[in-house]
Amino acid sequence: MSQPFRLNKEGLINRNKKISFTFNGKKLFGYEGDTIASALIANGIHLVGRSFKYHRPRGFFGAGVEEPNAKLQVEFNGHSEPNVNATEMELVEGLSATSQNCWPSVNFDVGAINNFLKMFFPAGFYYKTFMWPKSFWYKIYEPFIRKAAGLGVASIEKDKERYEHKFEYCDLLVTGSGPSGLASAYAAAKNGAKVILAEDKPRFGGTLLTDDVSIDNLSGKDWAEKIITELKSMPNVTVKNRSQVFGYYDHNMLVMFERVSDHLETKSKFTPRQRLWYIRAKETILSTGSIERPIVFGNNDTPGIFLSAAAKEYMKVYGVLVGKKPLIFTNNDSAYETALEFKKNNVEPIILDTREEHSSELIDEAKAKGIDIRFSHGVIVANGYKKVKSAKIGKLNKDKNSFEKIETIECDCICVSGFWTPSVHLASQSGNKLKYEEKIDAFIPDKKKQHETSVGAANGSFTLEESLKHGFENGSNLSAKITETKTEISIPNVNEKKYGAHDKFWCMPLPKNENPKRFVDFQNDVSVSDIEIALREGYRSIEHVKRYTTLGMATDQGRTSNLNGLQLVSNIENKIVPEVGHTTFRPPFTPITIGTIVGREVGMEYMPTRKTPMHEWHEKNNAVFVDAGAWKRPRYYKQGSETLFEASKREAKNVRENVGICDVTTLGKIDIKGPDAAEFLNRVYTNAWMKLPVGKARYGLMLREDGIVMDDGTTTRISENHYHMTTTTAQAANVLSHLEYYLQIVWPELNVNVVSTTEQWAGAAIAGPKSREMLSKLYPDLDVSNEALPFMGYKEAEFFGVPSRIFRISFSGELAYEINVKSDHGMFMWEKMMEVGKEFGNQPYGTEALSTLRIEMGHVAGPELDGRTIPSDVSLNGLVSKKKDFIGKNSLGREAFNVESRQKIVGLIPIDRKSSIPEGSHIVQDQNAKLPNPKLGHVSSSCWSVENNNPFSLAIMKDGKNMIGKKFFAVSPLKNKSIEVEVISSHYVDPEGKRVRS
Amino acid sequence: MLYIKCPYCGLRAQKEFSYGGDATVKRPNINEEVSSENWDNFVYMRKSPRGKHIELWQHIAGCRQWIKVQRDTATHEIFQTAKVTEEIR
Ligand SMILES: [Zn+2]
């Protein structure tokens, strides 16, 4: 149970709490506060995965978001997650992690043969090899590649976790709690600004946790703790750890990913796993710090090779040694701090510095401590397959393009530092064009595009003093503009070590007669030779080189590879880096879970469910529901073992023979009021509206300006200046916007107001030959005779004591009424109707029967009014006034709308009177014609005619009216059906419309 | 996500609004003769400028007013918003 690489004292982990976990089946333990990576390294485990293309053994390289290799399949809290960054995921009890990209195991991987066949995998390999023959792609190449080279495995289980979205507003958002972030947040908070401080890691402080500095005589770590404690106590400040701001969008909208509970052993039922924050910030401080850059050398991907700052972080934060015989390979001073930290823990490092012998504060200290430093030296190639065993090193000549004095020295880890790259991802996402800063050989933000200010290392300032100063100044100035308060803060005294200049050196030359792989992008296995090939083959734009080689395109977004790739291109092309330019940074900065993006909008919460006041009754009476927009409507009421077909036939037949009631609450309803309401309707509808008397309804048709039918419905004149408009369920919202558009913008002179009343009223249709008898029982005191309440008539009356509206309108083509009561009385109305209707054989009917009834009557609905039809196409030209102007009228004169052979609505019946015609079928002359078979029309709606007891369909057909009596085929390749049909009138039942007037 | 200042309600998130196209297009007057060309221009022809564009948005999940927004179609910068009865220049 001992941990051979755990230090006795160092670190910020909780040594009082052991946590057990497994890795590739092996039982191990770590401590609370460990990441999977730190716990594995403490246990001496470095081989964690295989690389993407060559299946080379890979270990840890970083200690946080920069990690390119250590992506694991992790099971915890009952779910399995692929591609988890081992350097970020905190250890929790019972966690089980396994390696990816390897088969059958990480120690013996069949795919590693690729490593020895690397001739086979040059840049652009996938493009070149798998292009031909085309038919091989889906069957052979793609499955092979997926099996051999995938990342982790996504779970196929339903995700039981809870994810949340949160919307927040603040004056200042600070992204990163390193020295500059803390200073900015603190200064802004003191000015009274509403501040959000976001830190990706579990611990606040950034580099203050690992750097040997002091601020106001406190260690960096203690100073960070002091500031955070004070910030937490302030009501205007929100401080969030485990929270990554990953996207910078328009108008200073930033999106943050908070890992709420993955690190907790127990949580309450309603604790979300992760939370997505949408933050609208007035100002943003980008204090995202910098990421160490590697130096490229032979076999630089061997397990045991680390970024030097990562090695320091493992010691200082986790109390873990990445090795006991470290080689430090650097072009700058910062790696000396890692060496000194090793030394402090009684480990003897050797430093290889690519610079010529010189002196600086840190070099002098290392020398004084007796550390072996070799100037003008570098690692040529690392030896060891699954772990570094030794390194071949050499002395660089003056031009640094060859070396001498080659020797092999033993080591168990190599800590590499190629200087620092500011994390400019968020700045770049905000629209900021970056500029190349020669001094640090990296890109930093240029002129602001939004309200973003980069400070500290993210802005290229690598000293603590400068970072703090920028932080305090910017935090104070930006917030003072918002709060108009300025609190003076004295900038604290800083004690830090001064760094000497770095060496502009990024890639070791190859040794003579040897050709070890030198990796630039570890995660996508892109090496120096791949970039050279891409350039030799003529790729010039960095964006093309990126796509051809896949450099920087892995899930780590090239955090450790982009700049080295650029340097290489610039060296080979003899161009300076700013000419080569950089590739585009896109959100998310780090991979985030799909669950977080979706949030609570899943399952029943995907969208609101609208239920009518009678919904419960429908449920109790075996209604099978169908979605109509957000509404739930009964499709049919199932009796016994009835099928949809049987039930809808029964319900429709009962309407034709007796009487039925249908919940029509979902129809759109719009109240239209004002002295100009009639004039407005006259412009909105195609037919005449000026003379509609009070107490009468009229069917209306509205067009878009391009002449296409938009919607239809009835509108009733309730009183002199008050109309009640109905729309189809689907178009209700669009029609309201349409009316508002004309009233607010086009004809503001009309004195009219519109408002949706859909939810105010519950509606029920009573349809069938016995509906009048039933109505007379529902309204015993009212004269409901054909004379008193004729077709298209309207009355207001009490319905068993509650106010109601009676419309004599019909969608089913039968004698029918529609009753509206206030929503609260909907259920009362419905139950009363069921009770009173018994003696007339009343049955409820759903949307399926409703469709049947309207289809066989030839009434058009959504499938016919599909955004492609004009009034004459659907035989509604009788409703188009020739005398007045209306919306869309001018378009009806277009030539194409008036050609003789224009499409028209027709009816279809199968010749065998038995085969149902699938909706969507195409009408063709010859079912065996050569493809493409000329299409004469399409089937829009189909039903089983209960009146004639055979299938019947509506179709929109070219020159339709002249086709009546002729025979065609309705073909549906989708259902593999071809049915011989005869064209008939679209009015299959009661063509004169006698029933509605009876 | 854009942040749009409704002249009636103040700054609101884009998701409360729906887009309504070019605000400078004027519908021919009702009951007035209009040439086919002018009508077609009104119904179909729209410019797609890169840069400043005055457009209509409706505050559909708010006050339901149609408003004018002057926006840069390339950068999404919003320069001005106004009631439909007001001019943007
Ligand atoms: Zn508004």
Side-chain angles (χ1 to χ4, degrees), chain A residues 828-953:
Chain A
F828 170 74
M829 168 181 72
W830 189 266
E831 283 177 335
K832 265 294 187 225
M833 284 179 172
M834 287 308 297
E835 183 189 314
V836 170
K838 250 184 218 150
E839 58 173 298
F840 307 104
N842 171 53
Q843 286 181 21
Y845 63 100
T847 56
E848 201 68 22
L850 186 71
S851 292
T852 297
L853 295 166
R854 72 97 187 161
I855 292 168
E856 63 176 3
M857 279 288 170
H859 288 174
V860 295
E864 287 75 37
L865 309 179
D866 64 352
R868 292 181 291 183
T869 45
I870 58 170
S872 61
D873 294 351
V874 286
S875 293
L876 292 174
N877 33 329
L879 287 169
V880 179
S881 167
K882 298 223 161 47
K883 292 184 195 134
K884 54 135 197 176
D885 196 4
F886 53 85
I887 292 169
K889 181 173 191 180
N890 282 309
S891 291
L892 294 178
R894 284 176 60 194
E895 205 182 318
F897 287 173
N898 294 285
V899 290
E900 185 57 33
S901 61
R902 173 88 194 164
Q903 59 178 4
K904 292 279 179 315
I905 188 168
V906 292
L908 299 178
I909 45 169
I911 302 295
D912 68 2
R913 300 291 191 276
K914 278 196 290 242
S915 308
S916 290
I917 309 164
E919 289 172 349
S921 295
H922 283 199
I923 302 164
V924 299
Q925 184 79 59
D926 175 4
Q927 61 170 342
N928 298 314
K930 225 181 92 191
L931 297 176
N933 195 344
K935 175 193 164 189
L936 306 173
H938 73 274
V939 176
S940 55
S941 303
S942 287
C943 73
W944 183 275
S945 167
V946 288
E947 186 91 3
N948 297 304
N949 205 26
N950 56 255
F952 173 73
S953 293

Side-chain angles (χ1 to χ4, degrees), chain A residues 477-653:
Chain A
N477 294 341
L478 291 168
S479 58
K481 268 192 283 176
I482 299 165
T483 62
E484 291 170 2
T485 319
K486 191 146 185 170
T487 312
E488 283 309 317
I489 302 171
S490 56
I491 297 172
N493 290 317
V494 169
N495 201 337
E496 65 182 318
K497 283 167 189 144
K498 297 238 164 5
Y499 287 10
H502 72 282
D503 187 11
K504 294 170 187 294
F505 180 84
W506 325 106
C507 181
M508 282 293 282
L510 278 176
K512 277 191 192 102
N513 308 322
E514 265 181 85
N515 197 10
K517 282 233 165 254
R518 292 173 297 168
F519 284 96
V520 180
D521 181 332
F522 297 105
Q523 205 185 347
N524 266 355
D525 263 3
V526 182
S527 67
V528 174
S529 58
D530 291 322
I531 294 169
E532 287 168 349
I533 289 174
L535 292 166
R536 268 209 305 280
E537 292 186 1
Y539 290 91
R540 288 295 173 271
S541 154
I542 189 68
E543 294 282 1
H544 291 163
V545 171
K546 164 179 160 181
R547 278 157 186 80
Y548 194 58
T549 61
T550 70
L551 170 73
M553 285 175 70
T555 61
D556 70 343
Q557 289 202 0
R559 276 187 267 283
T560 53
S561 63
N562 279 338
L563 267 168
N564 280 341
L566 276 179
Q567 289 287 359
L568 261 165
V569 174
S570 101
N571 288 352
I572 299 166
E573 288 283 284
N574 245 330
K575 273 186 192 165
I576 51 168
V577 171
E579 273 177 30
V580 178
H582 59 85
T583 54
T584 318
F585 298 101
R586 291 195 177 86
F589 176 65
T590 51
I592 60 169
T593 59
I594 298 284
T596 319
I597 298 171
V598 172
R600 300 291 309 281
E601 289 162 27
V602 66
M604 286 303 288
E605 277 125 22
Y606 178 66
M607 62 190 280
T609 304
R610 297 176 85 179
K611 294 175 184 173
T612 76
M614 290 85 100
H615 187 84
E616 255 179 65
W617 189 94
H618 303 322
E619 269 181 338
K620 276 187 207 145
N621 289 273
N622 297 323
V624 177
F625 292 94
V626 62
D627 290 337
W631 290 102
K632 296 275 174 212
R633 295 193 74 178
R635 192 172 184 192
Y636 62 101
Y637 299 84
K638 193 181 173 100
Q639 290 187 358
S641 58
E642 267 181 336
T643 62
L644 162 67
F645 180 66
E646 289 161 351
S648 61
K649 223 158 85 172
R650 167 182 55 74
E651 290 170 7
K653 214 161 166 335

Side-chain angles (χ1 to χ4, degrees), chain A residues 353-596:
Chain A
D353 192 327
T354 64
R355 299 170 295 184
E356 283 167 24
E357 172 136 29
H358 65 292
S359 161
S360 78
E361 195 180 344
L362 270 160
I363 293 172
D364 296 346
E365 188 180 339
K367 273 185 184 164
K369 295 246 163 80
I371 294 175
D372 181 357
I373 306 171
R374 311 198 186 168
F375 291 101
S376 296
H377 267 71
V379 176
I380 303 165
V381 57
N383 299 322
Y385 184 56
K386 290 176 191 167
K387 180 76 195 295
V388 178
K389 288 192 180 106
S390 64
K392 196 186 275 185
I393 66 167
K395 185 167 191 294
L396 287 156
N397 68 2
K398 212 165 168 61
D399 294 337
K400 294 191 175 145
N401 53 14
S402 67
F403 26 72
E404 53 188 29
K405 291 188 187 163
I406 296 169
E407 65 175 305
T408 298
I409 56 173
E410 266 185 48
C411 61
D412 65 352
C413 67
I414 301 174
C415 305
V416 59
S417 175
F419 207 53
W420 294 85
T421 307
S423 288
V424 292
H425 304 68
L426 289 175
S428 172
Q429 287 176 24
S430 79
N432 193 311
K433 301 274 175 248
L434 308 173
K435 65 178 176 202
Y436 190 70
E437 181 75 273
E438 200 75 44
K439 212 171 76 190
I440 58 166
D441 300 293
F443 289 93
I444 60 168
D446 199 356
K447 240 171 69 191
K448 289 183 199 191
K449 270 285 152 66
Q450 299 200 32
H451 292 273
E452 94 283 359
T453 307
S454 294
V455 296
N459 197 36
S461 320
F462 294 146
T463 70
L464 177 61
E465 191 178 2
E466 217 179 342
S467 291
L468 283 176
K469 189 166 162 280
H470 283 173
F472 279 115
E473 278 171 8
N474 282 298
S476 177
N477 294 341
L478 291 168
S479 58
K481 268 192 283 176
I482 299 165
T483 62
E484 291 170 2
T485 319
K486 191 146 185 170
T487 312
E488 283 309 317
I489 302 171
S490 56
I491 297 172
N493 290 317
V494 169
N495 201 337
E496 65 182 318
K497 283 167 189 144
K498 297 238 164 5
Y499 287 10
H502 72 282
D503 187 11
K504 294 170 187 294
F505 180 84
W506 325 106
C507 181
M508 282 293 282
L510 278 176
K512 277 191 192 102
N513 308 322
E514 265 181 85
N515 197 10
K517 282 233 165 254
R518 292 173 297 168
F519 284 96
V520 180
D521 181 332
F522 297 105
Q523 205 185 347
N524 266 355
D525 263 3
V526 182
S527 67
V528 174
S529 58
D530 291 322
I531 294 169
E532 287 168 349
I533 289 174
L535 292 166
R536 268 209 305 280
E537 292 186 1
Y539 290 91
R540 288 295 173 271
S541 154
I542 189 68
E543 294 282 1
H544 291 163
V545 171
K546 164 179 160 181
R547 278 157 186 80
Y548 194 58
T549 61
T550 70
L551 170 73
M553 285 175 70
T555 61
D556 70 343
Q557 289 202 0
R559 276 187 267 283
T560 53
S561 63
N562 279 338
L563 267 168
N564 280 341
L566 276 179
Q567 289 287 359
L568 261 165
V569 174
S570 101
N571 288 352
I572 299 166
E573 288 283 284
N574 245 330
K575 273 186 192 165
I576 51 168
V577 171
E579 273 177 30
V580 178
H582 59 85
T583 54
T584 318
F585 298 101
R586 291 195 177 86
F589 176 65
T590 51
I592 60 169
T593 59
I594 298 284
T596 319

Side-chain angles (χ1 to χ4, degrees), chain B residues 4-10 12 16-17 58-67:
Chain B
I4 301 171
K5 188 177 178 182
C6 171
Y8 304 92
C9 310
R12 297 300 166 100
E16 292 185 16
F17 296 83
Q58 189 183 14
H59 195 187
I60 201 138
C63 63
R64 295 205 63 89
Q65 294 301 301
W66 286 87
I67 61 167

